[in-house]
Amino acid sequence: MKLTNQLWEFETTTSLSAREIEKYLFNINEGEYKSGYLPLIFKGKPGCRISGSGPGFIAQFEDGHKEYLIPDVEKRTLTIRGEWWYCGVYTITQHSAGSLVKLNIYNIAKKYRWAAALMVLPDKKKHRVNFHKLIKELERVSSQYSQ
């Protein structure tokens, strides 16, 4: 699916290699997860059940919402799609400092796209903060296991 209607793009560099990031970011397995024991990409969310679905996974959260995940190791992307408007695409590329990580967020609403755009405008700061928290957590986890 070709994505259009990009809302935001966040990016940062990290000293981690693309392979190190993939190891933790793409570590998604089927199963039941309690809050606090979730795959890294879902840190801070309620518990969920993850099941396989075609090329990706479906995460059904305790609060009732679903998210669809498609990791693509060859392209070094992880796409997370919500049920209404949200689609986030993480992209990892090699960089002289280690890796460049980008998050592009799209409004994929088919109905009431304009309403979704108005509703989420105040969320830009929250998404930026959460993106940088994820990168810091990747660095922390990687350093913890490399010692």
Side-chain angles (χ1 to χ4, degrees):
M1 164 186 2
K2 177 131 172 74
L3 295 170
T4 58
N5 205 21
Q6 180 175 312
L7 294 176
W8 309 305
E9 178 177 278
F10 308 114
E11 67 177 52
T12 191
T13 56
T14 176
S15 61
L16 298 175
S17 70
R19 188 161 286 202
E20 288 174 296
I21 295 170
E22 291 167 9
K23 180 178 170 182
Y24 299 107
L25 192 63
F26 292 15
N27 186 13
I28 303 164
N29 297 297
E30 291 186 285
E32 294 279 340
Y33 294 89
K34 300 224 180 282
S35 185
Y37 298 96
L38 294 160
L40 193 58
I41 194 68
F42 292 140
K43 186 176 173 118
K45 292 190 178 189
C48 69
R49 174 181 228 336
I50 297 176
S51 56
S53 169
F57 300 90
I58 297 173
Q60 174 72 50
F61 290 88
E62 291 173 352
D63 65 5
H65 86 279
K66 291 180 188 173
E67 293 182 16
Y68 304 88
L69 298 95
I70 302 171
D72 187 331
V73 176
E74 280 184 25
K75 292 181 181 176
R76 291 190 166 139
T77 62
L78 174 62
T79 302
I80 301 175
R81 189 173 54 83
E83 292 181 274
W84 179 40
W85 73 269
Y86 180 86
C87 184
V89 181
Y90 290 88
T91 306
I92 306 158
T93 53
Q94 287 298 125
H95 186 275
S96 59
S99 295
L100 174 67
V101 182
K102 287 185 181 182
L103 171 59
N104 292 295
I105 297 178
Y106 300 87
N107 176 353
I108 60 166
K110 297 210 185 300
K111 290 186 177 184
Y112 306 111
R113 181 179 291 203
W114 61 270
L118 289 176
M119 286 174 43
V120 302
L121 281 176
D123 289 345
K124 182 176 183 178
K125 182 179 178 184
K126 177 182 84 171
H127 284 280
R128 182 185 320 108
V129 166
N130 288 340
F131 169 72
H132 289 287
K133 279 183 181 177
L134 174 65
I135 301 306
K136 292 294 180 206
E137 185 64 10
L138 282 166
E139 292 170 340
R140 186 190 70 76
V141 168
S142 180
S143 71
Q144 179 180 344
Y145 287 106
S146 66
Q147 294 177 4

